[in-house]
Amino acid sequence: MTAPRTFHNFIAGRWEPPAAGQYLENINPANQEDRLGYFPASGPEDIQRAITAAAEAYRSWRLTPPPRRAEILFAAGNILKARKADFARDMTREMGKVLLEAGGDVQEAIDMLFFMAGEGRRLYGQTTTSELPDKLCMTTRVPLGVAGLITPWNFPMAIPSWKTAPALICGNTVVLKPAEDAPLSALNWAHALEEAGLPAGVFNLVMGDGEHAGAPLVRHPHTAIVSFTGSSEVGREVGREAAAQFKHCNLEMGGKNAILVLDDAPLELALEGAIWGGFGTSGQRCTASSRLIVAKGIYKRFLDGFLDQARRLRLGDGLDSGTQVGPVINAAQLEKIETYVRIGQQEGARLRLGGHRYIQGACARGWFFEPTVFAEVSPRMRIAQEEIFGPVVSVLPCEGLEDGLEMANGTGYGLSASIYTQNLNAALRAQRELAAGIVYINAPTIGAEVHLPFGGVKHSGNGHRESGLATLDVYSEWKTVYVDFSGRLQRAQIDT
Ligand code: UN1
């Protein structure tokens, strides 16, 4: 174990201490004795400096040809590839997910860099005809200015990459405020961009909490776009503030994602998917499969199998190769999960597995919670409606496809959803009817790829998408250009 170090913000190409000299300690959630170091507890003054630097850098970055911007993103992708193992280790230490998944998180950032770098030579617009002679019409994407990005701790490199890479390729400059529970991965991300040769001020990193660093970033009149991933409650505040100033605003929020298992589902496949979707990242994904809606003909066999597999999951430090489920992020999250377990019991759901903190052996030094399964959950119960963000899965019996779809759609959220069936008609009906931004067929509710749109309906989002080409619409806007080479005044709609 290394001695705690002190880390700094990255502003205008320099690593700088926070103005007020305050720091937050970053602790390994699997072992509170393992302290990763002190990271800036920044405030409005630091945010102001970063926005000033980003606004200054924007003047030349916006005019840098996109293929040149792309070269830097490609270089950053190669740096991440070379350091993937180290960055994954840092990630597991700071937020707990098992090493294999942390490697996937870094990989997602690599994928995003390469995908968006490719866009540097596309960023296609439209060229079209005119209703008038000797006239050409076209559209181009233009950047917005300074992008304020606020990211969560559960995908601490992937989500910063989802926002940073498209913002940069479109020609914006960036101020990133990562979650205070996982600043080291954001710092590694910043190092990769710096080493890749990004000009000073194009990307700035300001660490700290939401209240003191995040809110000033959203409120500042010079952030032209704000992009936030986190809870729906905070998202609502961000959206309000952005709306008041007519800023572009991208919100990615919670989920209460359902897997629908029909009677004809391939049982082993469905079980494997439900375990991975429910307990991967200790259930701390916005796409976690937190509800299993199971048709009555398969309910008993499915539940028995699920309990059996969940019981055998190995908890521990994510750095140990045998570990399948790591800790949860912090003590507050542990308490929140405990509260929901009590709520579920009071509501009359049957607690069939887990329900307690896990304090065996070395796990006593961390924030672990047993994989927890509630059965006979009914759709209106709070444990079937509210996002818990922990290793807690609710199993709901249903009659079949129609009933199951109604239950799946019966929450305020709509991020991802899934169905297991071998019936083609049922699968295709489900993909149409499921009220979710992402639908999986014969796979769990997690596993999105960077070249496809990611985001949800209802309280899970605000109509935008991250990833895929759709994200370009968040970080640019269209300019429509009419070129009249007739040499005379031509009046649209009139001179026909
Ligand atoms: C999240 O659920 O918080 O789809 C993000 C996935 C990942 C991203 C998940 N690629 O599982």
Short mmCIF file of all heavy atoms in Angstrom, two decimals, residues 53-117:
data_model
loop_
_atom_site.label_atom_id
_atom_site.label_comp_id
_atom_site.label_asym_id
_atom_site.label_seq_id
_atom_site.Cartn_x
_atom_site.Cartn_y
_atom_site.Cartn_z
N ALA A 53 -10.12 29.50 -18.98
CA ALA A 53 -9.11 28.82 -19.82
C ALA A 53 -9.78 28.14 -21.01
O ALA A 53 -9.27 28.21 -22.15
CB ALA A 53 -8.36 27.78 -18.98
N ALA A 54 -10.91 27.51 -20.77
CA ALA A 54 -11.60 26.80 -21.85
C ALA A 54 -12.14 27.79 -22.89
O ALA A 54 -12.08 27.52 -24.10
CB ALA A 54 -12.75 25.96 -21.27
N ALA A 55 -12.64 28.93 -22.41
CA ALA A 55 -13.18 29.93 -23.35
C ALA A 55 -12.05 30.50 -24.21
O ALA A 55 -12.22 30.73 -25.42
CB ALA A 55 -13.88 31.04 -22.56
N GLU A 56 -10.89 30.70 -23.61
CA GLU A 56 -9.74 31.20 -24.36
C GLU A 56 -9.29 30.17 -25.40
O GLU A 56 -9.06 30.50 -26.57
CB GLU A 56 -8.61 31.51 -23.34
CG GLU A 56 -7.29 31.92 -23.92
CD GLU A 56 -7.36 33.20 -24.74
OE1 GLU A 56 -8.24 34.02 -24.45
OE2 GLU A 56 -6.55 33.33 -25.69
N ALA A 57 -9.18 28.93 -24.97
CA ALA A 57 -8.72 27.87 -25.89
C ALA A 57 -9.72 27.62 -27.02
O ALA A 57 -9.34 27.20 -28.12
CB ALA A 57 -8.49 26.57 -25.10
N TYR A 58 -10.97 27.91 -26.75
CA TYR A 58 -12.01 27.69 -27.76
C TYR A 58 -11.76 28.52 -29.02
O TYR A 58 -12.08 28.09 -30.13
CB TYR A 58 -13.38 28.05 -27.16
CG TYR A 58 -14.54 27.91 -28.12
CD1 TYR A 58 -14.90 26.66 -28.63
CD2 TYR A 58 -15.29 29.02 -28.50
CE1 TYR A 58 -15.96 26.53 -29.52
CE2 TYR A 58 -16.36 28.89 -29.37
CZ TYR A 58 -16.69 27.65 -29.88
OH TYR A 58 -17.74 27.52 -30.76
N ARG A 59 -11.15 29.68 -28.84
CA ARG A 59 -10.95 30.56 -29.99
C ARG A 59 -10.15 29.89 -31.09
O ARG A 59 -10.42 30.08 -32.28
CB ARG A 59 -10.26 31.86 -29.54
CG ARG A 59 -11.21 32.78 -28.76
CD ARG A 59 -10.52 33.55 -27.66
NE ARG A 59 -9.38 34.30 -28.12
CZ ARG A 59 -9.33 35.61 -28.17
NH1 ARG A 59 -10.38 36.32 -27.82
NH2 ARG A 59 -8.23 36.22 -28.57
N SER A 60 -9.15 29.09 -30.73
CA SER A 60 -8.39 28.41 -31.80
C SER A 60 -8.85 26.97 -32.02
O SER A 60 -8.79 26.46 -33.15
CB SER A 60 -6.89 28.46 -31.52
OG SER A 60 -6.64 28.01 -30.22
N TRP A 61 -9.33 26.30 -30.95
CA TRP A 61 -9.75 24.90 -31.12
C TRP A 61 -10.93 24.80 -32.08
O TRP A 61 -11.03 23.88 -32.87
CB TRP A 61 -10.12 24.30 -29.75
CG TRP A 61 -10.46 22.85 -29.78
CD1 TRP A 61 -11.68 22.29 -29.55
CD2 TRP A 61 -9.56 21.76 -30.04
NE1 TRP A 61 -11.62 20.92 -29.65
CE2 TRP A 61 -10.33 20.57 -29.95
CE3 TRP A 61 -8.20 21.66 -30.35
CZ2 TRP A 61 -9.77 19.30 -30.16
CZ3 TRP A 61 -7.65 20.40 -30.54
CH2 TRP A 61 -8.44 19.25 -30.45
N ARG A 62 -11.82 25.77 -32.03
CA ARG A 62 -13.00 25.70 -32.89
C ARG A 62 -12.60 25.77 -34.36
O ARG A 62 -13.31 25.30 -35.24
CB ARG A 62 -13.98 26.81 -32.48
CG ARG A 62 -14.23 27.91 -33.38
CD ARG A 62 -15.05 29.02 -32.76
NE ARG A 62 -14.58 30.31 -33.24
CZ ARG A 62 -14.89 30.81 -34.44
NH1 ARG A 62 -15.71 30.17 -35.23
NH2 ARG A 62 -14.38 31.96 -34.82
N LEU A 63 -11.43 26.38 -34.64
CA LEU A 63 -10.96 26.52 -36.02
C LEU A 63 -9.96 25.44 -36.42
O LEU A 63 -9.50 25.39 -37.55
CB LEU A 63 -10.34 27.91 -36.22
CG LEU A 63 -11.31 29.08 -35.96
CD1 LEU A 63 -10.58 30.42 -36.04
CD2 LEU A 63 -12.48 29.04 -36.94
N THR A 64 -9.58 24.60 -35.48
CA THR A 64 -8.66 23.50 -35.79
C THR A 64 -9.41 22.47 -36.63
O THR A 64 -10.51 22.06 -36.25
CB THR A 64 -8.17 22.84 -34.48
OG1 THR A 64 -7.55 23.85 -33.68
CG2 THR A 64 -7.18 21.71 -34.74
N PRO A 65 -8.88 22.07 -37.77
CA PRO A 65 -9.63 21.12 -38.61
C PRO A 65 -9.96 19.83 -37.84
O PRO A 65 -9.08 19.28 -37.15
CB PRO A 65 -8.67 20.84 -39.77
CG PRO A 65 -7.79 22.04 -39.82
CD PRO A 65 -7.62 22.50 -38.40
N PRO A 66 -11.17 19.36 -37.95
CA PRO A 66 -11.55 18.14 -37.22
C PRO A 66 -10.61 16.95 -37.43
O PRO A 66 -10.34 16.22 -36.46
CB PRO A 66 -12.97 17.86 -37.70
CG PRO A 66 -13.51 19.23 -38.01
CD PRO A 66 -12.34 20.00 -38.57
N PRO A 67 -10.05 16.72 -38.64
CA PRO A 67 -9.10 15.60 -38.74
C PRO A 67 -7.86 15.80 -37.86
O PRO A 67 -7.26 14.83 -37.40
CB PRO A 67 -8.74 15.57 -40.23
CG PRO A 67 -9.93 16.18 -40.90
CD PRO A 67 -10.37 17.28 -39.97
N ARG A 68 -7.48 17.05 -37.61
CA ARG A 68 -6.35 17.31 -36.69
C ARG A 68 -6.77 17.03 -35.25
O ARG A 68 -6.03 16.46 -34.46
CB ARG A 68 -5.87 18.76 -36.81
CG ARG A 68 -5.33 19.17 -38.16
CD ARG A 68 -3.91 18.65 -38.41
NE ARG A 68 -3.89 17.32 -39.02
CZ ARG A 68 -4.12 17.07 -40.31
NH1 ARG A 68 -4.38 18.05 -41.14
NH2 ARG A 68 -4.09 15.83 -40.77
N ARG A 69 -7.98 17.46 -34.90
CA ARG A 69 -8.49 17.15 -33.56
C ARG A 69 -8.51 15.63 -33.38
O ARG A 69 -8.14 15.11 -32.33
CB ARG A 69 -9.94 17.66 -33.40
CG ARG A 69 -10.13 19.13 -33.52
CD ARG A 69 -11.64 19.46 -33.45
NE ARG A 69 -11.92 20.79 -33.93
CZ ARG A 69 -13.08 21.16 -34.52
NH1 ARG A 69 -14.06 20.29 -34.68
NH2 ARG A 69 -13.25 22.39 -34.93
N ALA A 70 -8.90 14.94 -34.45
CA ALA A 70 -9.03 13.49 -34.39
C ALA A 70 -7.69 12.82 -34.11
O ALA A 70 -7.62 11.82 -33.39
CB ALA A 70 -9.60 12.97 -35.71
N GLU A 71 -6.61 13.37 -34.67
CA GLU A 71 -5.29 12.74 -34.45
C GLU A 71 -4.98 12.69 -32.96
O GLU A 71 -4.39 11.72 -32.47
CB GLU A 71 -4.21 13.54 -35.19
CG GLU A 71 -4.20 13.24 -36.67
CD GLU A 71 -3.38 14.25 -37.47
OE1 GLU A 71 -2.61 15.04 -36.86
OE2 GLU A 71 -3.53 14.25 -38.70
N ILE A 72 -5.39 13.72 -32.24
CA ILE A 72 -5.12 13.76 -30.79
C ILE A 72 -5.98 12.71 -30.08
O ILE A 72 -5.52 12.02 -29.17
CB ILE A 72 -5.36 15.18 -30.24
CG1 ILE A 72 -4.40 16.15 -30.95
CG2 ILE A 72 -5.17 15.22 -28.73
CD1 ILE A 72 -4.67 17.61 -30.66
N LEU A 73 -7.22 12.57 -30.53
CA LEU A 73 -8.08 11.55 -29.90
C LEU A 73 -7.53 10.15 -30.18
O LEU A 73 -7.54 9.28 -29.30
CB LEU A 73 -9.52 11.66 -30.39
CG LEU A 73 -10.28 12.96 -30.09
CD1 LEU A 73 -11.77 12.79 -30.37
CD2 LEU A 73 -10.10 13.41 -28.65
N PHE A 74 -7.07 9.91 -31.41
CA PHE A 74 -6.46 8.60 -31.71
C PHE A 74 -5.26 8.36 -30.80
O PHE A 74 -5.08 7.26 -30.26
CB PHE A 74 -5.99 8.54 -33.17
CG PHE A 74 -7.07 8.17 -34.15
CD1 PHE A 74 -7.37 8.99 -35.24
CD2 PHE A 74 -7.78 6.98 -34.01
CE1 PHE A 74 -8.36 8.65 -36.15
CE2 PHE A 74 -8.77 6.63 -34.92
CZ PHE A 74 -9.07 7.46 -35.99
N ALA A 75 -4.42 9.39 -30.63
CA ALA A 75 -3.24 9.24 -29.79
C ALA A 75 -3.66 8.92 -28.34
O ALA A 75 -3.06 8.06 -27.68
CB ALA A 75 -2.39 10.51 -29.84
N ALA A 76 -4.69 9.61 -27.87
CA ALA A 76 -5.16 9.35 -26.49
C ALA A 76 -5.67 7.91 -26.38
O ALA A 76 -5.43 7.24 -25.36
CB ALA A 76 -6.26 10.34 -26.12
N GLY A 77 -6.35 7.44 -27.40
CA GLY A 77 -6.83 6.04 -27.39
C GLY A 77 -5.67 5.06 -27.28
O GLY A 77 -5.74 4.07 -26.53
N ASN A 78 -4.60 5.35 -27.99
CA ASN A 78 -3.44 4.46 -27.92
C ASN A 78 -2.76 4.51 -26.56
O ASN A 78 -2.28 3.49 -26.06
CB ASN A 78 -2.44 4.81 -29.03
CG ASN A 78 -2.92 4.28 -30.37
OD1 ASN A 78 -3.56 3.22 -30.44
ND2 ASN A 78 -2.66 5.02 -31.44
N ILE A 79 -2.77 5.69 -25.94
CA ILE A 79 -2.19 5.81 -24.59
C ILE A 79 -3.02 4.98 -23.60
O ILE A 79 -2.48 4.23 -22.79
CB ILE A 79 -2.12 7.30 -24.16
CG1 ILE A 79 -1.07 8.02 -25.02
CG2 ILE A 79 -1.80 7.43 -22.68
CD1 ILE A 79 -1.12 9.53 -24.94
N LEU A 80 -4.33 5.08 -23.72
CA LEU A 80 -5.18 4.28 -22.82
C LEU A 80 -4.95 2.78 -23.05
O LEU A 80 -4.95 1.99 -22.10
CB LEU A 80 -6.67 4.59 -23.03
CG LEU A 80 -7.22 5.93 -22.57
CD1 LEU A 80 -8.74 5.90 -22.61
CD2 LEU A 80 -6.77 6.29 -21.17
N LYS A 81 -4.79 2.41 -24.32
CA LYS A 81 -4.55 0.98 -24.61
C LYS A 81 -3.29 0.49 -23.91
O LYS A 81 -3.27 -0.58 -23.30
CB LYS A 81 -4.36 0.79 -26.13
CG LYS A 81 -5.60 0.30 -26.82
CD LYS A 81 -5.40 0.24 -28.30
CE LYS A 81 -4.96 -1.13 -28.77
NZ LYS A 81 -4.97 -1.19 -30.26
N ALA A 82 -2.26 1.31 -23.98
CA ALA A 82 -0.98 0.91 -23.38
C ALA A 82 -1.08 0.84 -21.85
O ALA A 82 -0.39 0.05 -21.22
CB ALA A 82 0.11 1.90 -23.80
N ARG A 83 -1.92 1.67 -21.26
CA ARG A 83 -2.00 1.73 -19.79
C ARG A 83 -3.25 1.05 -19.24
O ARG A 83 -3.59 1.27 -18.07
CB ARG A 83 -2.08 3.20 -19.33
CG ARG A 83 -1.05 4.07 -19.91
CD ARG A 83 -0.02 4.47 -18.83
NE ARG A 83 0.98 5.25 -19.51
CZ ARG A 83 0.90 6.56 -19.66
NH1 ARG A 83 -0.07 7.23 -19.11
NH2 ARG A 83 1.82 7.19 -20.33
N LYS A 84 -3.94 0.33 -20.08
CA LYS A 84 -5.25 -0.20 -19.67
C LYS A 84 -5.19 -0.94 -18.32
O LYS A 84 -6.02 -0.71 -17.44
CB LYS A 84 -5.79 -1.12 -20.77
CG LYS A 84 -7.14 -1.71 -20.48
CD LYS A 84 -7.67 -2.48 -21.70
CE LYS A 84 -8.85 -3.35 -21.30
NZ LYS A 84 -9.37 -4.13 -22.42
N ALA A 85 -4.19 -1.78 -18.15
CA ALA A 85 -4.13 -2.59 -16.93
C ALA A 85 -3.94 -1.71 -15.70
O ALA A 85 -4.61 -1.91 -14.67
CB ALA A 85 -2.99 -3.60 -17.04
N ASP A 86 -3.08 -0.70 -15.80
CA ASP A 86 -2.85 0.19 -14.65
C ASP A 86 -4.09 1.01 -14.32
O ASP A 86 -4.46 1.18 -13.16
CB ASP A 86 -1.71 1.19 -14.95
CG ASP A 86 -0.37 0.49 -15.02
OD1 ASP A 86 -0.28 -0.66 -14.55
OD2 ASP A 86 0.57 1.09 -15.57
N PHE A 87 -4.71 1.53 -15.37
CA PHE A 87 -5.89 2.38 -15.14
C PHE A 87 -7.05 1.55 -14.57
O PHE A 87 -7.84 2.05 -13.77
CB PHE A 87 -6.30 3.09 -16.43
CG PHE A 87 -5.35 4.19 -16.85
CD1 PHE A 87 -5.47 4.80 -18.10
CD2 PHE A 87 -4.35 4.64 -16.00
CE1 PHE A 87 -4.61 5.83 -18.49
CE2 PHE A 87 -3.48 5.66 -16.37
CZ PHE A 87 -3.62 6.25 -17.63
N ALA A 88 -7.14 0.30 -15.01
CA ALA A 88 -8.20 -0.57 -14.48
C ALA A 88 -7.95 -0.84 -13.00
O ALA A 88 -8.87 -0.82 -12.18
CB ALA A 88 -8.25 -1.88 -15.28
N ARG A 89 -6.72 -1.06 -12.65
CA ARG A 89 -6.36 -1.30 -11.24
C ARG A 89 -6.70 -0.10 -10.37
O ARG A 89 -7.30 -0.23 -9.31
CB ARG A 89 -4.85 -1.54 -11.15
CG ARG A 89 -4.44 -2.90 -10.73
CD ARG A 89 -2.94 -2.95 -10.49
NE ARG A 89 -2.68 -3.15 -9.06
CZ ARG A 89 -2.94 -4.25 -8.41
NH1 ARG A 89 -3.44 -5.30 -9.05
NH2 ARG A 89 -2.69 -4.35 -7.13
N ASP A 90 -6.33 1.07 -10.85
CA ASP A 90 -6.67 2.31 -10.11
C ASP A 90 -8.18 2.40 -9.92
O ASP A 90 -8.66 2.80 -8.86
CB ASP A 90 -6.21 3.55 -10.90
CG ASP A 90 -4.71 3.80 -10.76
OD1 ASP A 90 -4.06 3.15 -9.91
OD2 ASP A 90 -4.19 4.67 -11.50
N MET A 91 -8.90 2.05 -10.98
CA MET A 91 -10.36 2.16 -10.92
C MET A 91 -10.95 1.20 -9.89
O MET A 91 -11.79 1.58 -9.07
CB MET A 91 -10.95 1.87 -12.30
CG MET A 91 -12.41 2.22 -12.42
SD MET A 91 -13.06 1.82 -14.04
CE MET A 91 -12.22 2.98 -15.09
N THR A 92 -10.49 -0.03 -9.91
CA THR A 92 -10.98 -1.00 -8.93
C THR A 92 -10.68 -0.52 -7.52
O THR A 92 -11.52 -0.59 -6.63
CB THR A 92 -10.36 -2.39 -9.18
OG1 THR A 92 -10.82 -2.84 -10.45
CG2 THR A 92 -10.77 -3.39 -8.12
N ARG A 93 -9.48 0.02 -7.32
CA ARG A 93 -9.12 0.50 -5.98
C ARG A 93 -9.98 1.67 -5.54
O ARG A 93 -10.29 1.82 -4.38
CB ARG A 93 -7.66 0.95 -5.96
CG ARG A 93 -6.69 -0.13 -5.51
CD ARG A 93 -5.30 0.44 -5.43
NE ARG A 93 -5.07 1.23 -4.23
CZ ARG A 93 -4.14 2.19 -4.11
NH1 ARG A 93 -3.35 2.48 -5.14
NH2 ARG A 93 -4.00 2.85 -2.99
N GLU A 94 -10.35 2.53 -6.49
CA GLU A 94 -11.07 3.72 -6.01
C GLU A 94 -12.58 3.55 -5.96
O GLU A 94 -13.24 4.26 -5.20
CB GLU A 94 -10.70 4.96 -6.81
CG GLU A 94 -11.31 5.11 -8.16
CD GLU A 94 -11.10 6.52 -8.73
OE1 GLU A 94 -10.77 7.44 -7.99
OE2 GLU A 94 -11.28 6.64 -9.95
N MET A 95 -13.14 2.62 -6.77
CA MET A 95 -14.61 2.50 -6.70
C MET A 95 -15.12 1.08 -6.58
O MET A 95 -16.33 0.88 -6.47
CB MET A 95 -15.31 3.29 -7.81
CG MET A 95 -14.93 3.02 -9.24
SD MET A 95 -15.46 1.42 -9.84
CE MET A 95 -17.24 1.64 -9.89
N GLY A 96 -14.23 0.09 -6.59
CA GLY A 96 -14.62 -1.24 -6.16
C GLY A 96 -15.01 -2.25 -7.21
O GLY A 96 -14.99 -3.45 -6.95
N LYS A 97 -15.38 -1.84 -8.43
CA LYS A 97 -15.86 -2.86 -9.38
C LYS A 97 -14.73 -3.84 -9.69
O LYS A 97 -13.54 -3.46 -9.62
CB LYS A 97 -16.45 -2.23 -10.64
CG LYS A 97 -15.48 -1.56 -11.57
CD LYS A 97 -16.15 -1.29 -12.93
CE LYS A 97 -16.93 -0.02 -13.00
NZ LYS A 97 -17.38 0.36 -14.34
N VAL A 98 -15.08 -5.07 -10.01
CA VAL A 98 -14.04 -6.09 -10.17
C VAL A 98 -13.15 -5.75 -11.37
O VAL A 98 -13.59 -5.10 -12.32
CB VAL A 98 -14.64 -7.52 -10.30
CG1 VAL A 98 -15.45 -7.88 -9.05
CG2 VAL A 98 -15.49 -7.66 -11.54
N LEU A 99 -11.93 -6.22 -11.29
CA LEU A 99 -10.90 -5.82 -12.25
C LEU A 99 -11.32 -6.04 -13.71
O LEU A 99 -11.07 -5.20 -14.58
CB LEU A 99 -9.61 -6.58 -11.93
CG LEU A 99 -8.31 -6.00 -12.46
CD1 LEU A 99 -8.14 -4.54 -12.09
CD2 LEU A 99 -7.14 -6.81 -11.93
N LEU A 100 -11.99 -7.14 -13.96
CA LEU A 100 -12.43 -7.45 -15.33
C LEU A 100 -13.37 -6.36 -15.84
O LEU A 100 -13.27 -5.90 -16.99
CB LEU A 100 -13.16 -8.79 -15.32
CG LEU A 100 -13.44 -9.42 -16.67
CD1 LEU A 100 -12.15 -9.92 -17.31
CD2 LEU A 100 -14.43 -10.59 -16.50
N GLU A 101 -14.28 -5.93 -14.97
CA GLU A 101 -15.23 -4.88 -15.36
C GLU A 101 -14.53 -3.53 -15.48
O GLU A 101 -14.88 -2.71 -16.34
CB GLU A 101 -16.36 -4.78 -14.34
CG GLU A 101 -17.27 -5.98 -14.32
CD GLU A 101 -18.41 -5.79 -13.32
OE1 GLU A 101 -18.90 -4.67 -13.16
OE2 GLU A 101 -18.77 -6.79 -12.68
N ALA A 102 -13.56 -3.28 -14.61
CA ALA A 102 -12.81 -2.02 -14.70
C ALA A 102 -12.06 -1.97 -16.03
O ALA A 102 -11.99 -0.92 -16.68
CB ALA A 102 -11.85 -1.89 -13.52
N GLY A 103 -11.53 -3.12 -16.45
CA GLY A 103 -10.87 -3.19 -17.76
C GLY A 103 -11.88 -2.86 -18.87
O GLY A 103 -11.55 -2.18 -19.85
N GLY A 104 -13.10 -3.32 -18.71
CA GLY A 104 -14.16 -3.02 -19.68
C GLY A 104 -14.47 -1.53 -19.72
O GLY A 104 -14.75 -0.97 -20.78
N ASP A 105 -14.42 -0.90 -18.57
CA ASP A 105 -14.69 0.53 -18.47
C ASP A 105 -13.62 1.33 -19.24
O ASP A 105 -13.94 2.22 -20.04
CB ASP A 105 -14.69 0.90 -16.98
CG ASP A 105 -15.27 2.26 -16.69
OD1 ASP A 105 -14.84 3.23 -17.33
OD2 ASP A 105 -16.14 2.35 -15.79
N VAL A 106 -12.35 0.96 -19.02
CA VAL A 106 -11.27 1.64 -19.75
C VAL A 106 -11.41 1.34 -21.24
O VAL A 106 -11.24 2.23 -22.09
CB VAL A 106 -9.88 1.18 -19.23
CG1 VAL A 106 -8.77 1.87 -20.02
CG2 VAL A 106 -9.73 1.47 -17.74
N GLN A 107 -11.77 0.11 -21.58
CA GLN A 107 -11.94 -0.27 -22.98
C GLN A 107 -13.03 0.57 -23.64
O GLN A 107 -12.91 0.98 -24.80
CB GLN A 107 -12.29 -1.76 -23.09
CG GLN A 107 -12.34 -2.26 -24.53
CD GLN A 107 -11.02 -2.07 -25.26
OE1 GLN A 107 -9.95 -2.41 -24.73
NE2 GLN A 107 -11.06 -1.51 -26.46
N GLU A 108 -14.08 0.85 -22.88
CA GLU A 108 -15.17 1.66 -23.43
C GLU A 108 -14.67 3.07 -23.78
O GLU A 108 -15.08 3.66 -24.78
CB GLU A 108 -16.34 1.69 -22.43
CG GLU A 108 -17.62 2.16 -23.04
CD GLU A 108 -18.87 1.71 -22.28
OE1 GLU A 108 -18.79 0.78 -21.45
OE2 GLU A 108 -19.93 2.29 -22.53
N ALA A 109 -13.77 3.59 -22.95
CA ALA A 109 -13.18 4.90 -23.24
C ALA A 109 -12.29 4.83 -24.49
O ALA A 109 -12.29 5.74 -25.33
CB ALA A 109 -12.39 5.41 -22.03
N ILE A 110 -11.56 3.74 -24.63
CA ILE A 110 -10.72 3.55 -25.83
C ILE A 110 -11.63 3.51 -27.06
O ILE A 110 -11.39 4.19 -28.07
CB ILE A 110 -9.90 2.24 -25.72
CG1 ILE A 110 -8.92 2.31 -24.54
CG2 ILE A 110 -9.18 1.93 -27.03
CD1 ILE A 110 -8.28 0.96 -24.17
N ASP A 111 -12.68 2.71 -26.96
CA ASP A 111 -13.61 2.57 -28.09
C ASP A 111 -14.20 3.92 -28.47
O ASP A 111 -14.33 4.26 -29.65
CB ASP A 111 -14.77 1.63 -27.72
CG ASP A 111 -14.31 0.19 -27.47
OD1 ASP A 111 -13.17 -0.15 -27.87
OD2 ASP A 111 -15.08 -0.59 -26.86
N MET A 112 -14.56 4.69 -27.45
CA MET A 112 -15.20 5.98 -27.73
C MET A 112 -14.22 6.94 -28.40
O MET A 112 -14.59 7.67 -29.32
CB MET A 112 -15.74 6.57 -26.42
CG MET A 112 -16.60 7.76 -26.61
SD MET A 112 -17.85 7.53 -27.91
CE MET A 112 -19.32 7.87 -27.04
N LEU A 113 -12.97 6.93 -27.93
CA LEU A 113 -11.96 7.80 -28.56
C LEU A 113 -11.77 7.44 -30.02
O LEU A 113 -11.75 8.32 -30.89
CB LEU A 113 -10.63 7.69 -27.80
CG LEU A 113 -10.59 8.44 -26.47
CD1 LEU A 113 -9.40 8.00 -25.64
CD2 LEU A 113 -10.54 9.96 -26.70
N PHE A 114 -11.66 6.15 -30.32
CA PHE A 114 -11.43 5.75 -31.71
C PHE A 114 -12.68 6.03 -32.56
O PHE A 114 -12.57 6.48 -33.71
CB PHE A 114 -11.04 4.27 -31.79
CG PHE A 114 -9.63 3.99 -31.28
CD1 PHE A 114 -9.25 2.71 -30.90
CD2 PHE A 114 -8.70 5.01 -31.16
CE1 PHE A 114 -7.97 2.45 -30.43
CE2 PHE A 114 -7.41 4.76 -30.68
CZ PHE A 114 -7.04 3.48 -30.32
N PHE A 115 -13.84 5.77 -31.99
CA PHE A 115 -15.07 6.01 -32.74
C PHE A 115 -15.20 7.50 -33.08
O PHE A 115 -15.46 7.89 -34.23
CB PHE A 115 -16.28 5.53 -31.91
CG PHE A 115 -17.62 5.84 -32.52
CD1 PHE A 115 -17.91 5.47 -33.83
CD2 PHE A 115 -18.60 6.48 -31.79
CE1 PHE A 115 -19.16 5.76 -34.40
CE2 PHE A 115 -19.84 6.77 -32.33
CZ PHE A 115 -20.11 6.41 -33.64
N MET A 116 -15.03 8.36 -32.08
CA MET A 116 -15.19 9.80 -32.32
C MET A 116 -14.05 10.37 -33.16
O MET A 116 -14.24 11.31 -33.93
CB MET A 116 -15.32 10.54 -30.99
CG MET A 116 -16.71 10.50 -30.44
SD MET A 116 -17.87 11.33 -31.57
CE MET A 116 -19.31 10.28 -31.39
N ALA A 117 -12.85 9.79 -33.02
CA ALA A 117 -11.74 10.23 -33.87
C ALA A 117 -12.10 9.99 -35.33
O ALA A 117 -11.84 10.82 -36.21
CB ALA A 117 -10.46 9.52 -33.48
#
